[in-house]
Amino acid sequence: NEPEVVHRLDYDAEENQWVSSPREVKIAVQMFAQGGKLGCIMVQDLEDRKTYVIKKPFESDSPGATTTDIYEQCKVRTVAVHVAAKFNKLRPRLQVLFLPCFVYILTERPGQPAVIVEPVVLNHSKAPVSSSTPPSERDAIECFEHFSMHLSRCNFVLCNALALSDGRWTDPEYHSVDQAIGGRMNGGQRSIDQWMICHQENDDCRKLNLGRLFEEEEEHDEEGDDDIADWEEMVGLREPQ
């Protein structure tokens, strides 16, 4: 296919803003794979010389497929990447890594559609946590969910991510008290409460000394308070100072 210019949008979770850069790309004509709701199209970025995958919804008005939904999905996935980096600094038994993503605005195409773009995953498959999930992976992602609640002081939870065939995770749910990001897929306090009912603290949680969510919050030292405040600001729990 002929090269075309698109706008790449990367969500800066720390600054809570989008960063735009023009890119010249070559987009394949046909899908190479498809699922129930999405088709996958190869795209080559002619600047960084990397190949990515465009996730194109079959129906533009279906849940999760509107332009607003695409932006909100990318925000949630990027927040998950950042929270996972924080989690991994605690040296958990098994690190949790999320597949990053960004948005292309196809400026030379009718309607200038927005699409989610992500790295290529060989032998791509994804599945929810189940009894067939290796126990170490299941404990790790449940501990990560607990960590997101601990970090936000029960203001948000990242949960129900899908396991990828390469060991990473993707498509987490994000539920927050103020429903600031995530759009209509953010279930708010009701979904947080449901998670708290279902979650059981495991050995990984205890190893990181996350504490029980229903216990009274302990006093944090000055450094800890600043650290939490920074993350609250990052995900829109409070306005930047």
Side-chain angles (χ1 to χ4, degrees), residues 34-68:
Q34 62 185 50
K37 298 180 180 179
L38 296 169
C40 300
I41 305 171
M42 287 289 189
V43 55
Q44 183 183 20
D45 187 314
L46 300 180
E47 293 188 30
D48 65 16
R49 301 294 179 181
K50 293 181 179 180
T51 300
Y52 299 98
V53 177
I54 290 175
K55 295 299 187 72
K56 179 175 174 56
F58 295 130
E59 299 180 12
S60 60
D61 59 348
S62 61
T66 67
T67 298
T68 298

Side-chain angles (χ1 to χ4, degrees), residues 192-209:
I192 292 174
D193 293 343
Q194 185 62 41
W195 179 88
M196 293 181 75
I197 291 170
C198 297
H199 177 71
Q200 292 185 347
E201 188 178 63
N202 60 38
D203 288 341
D204 287 14
C205 302
R206 287 185 283 272
K207 177 179 180 294
L208 299 185
N209 195 29

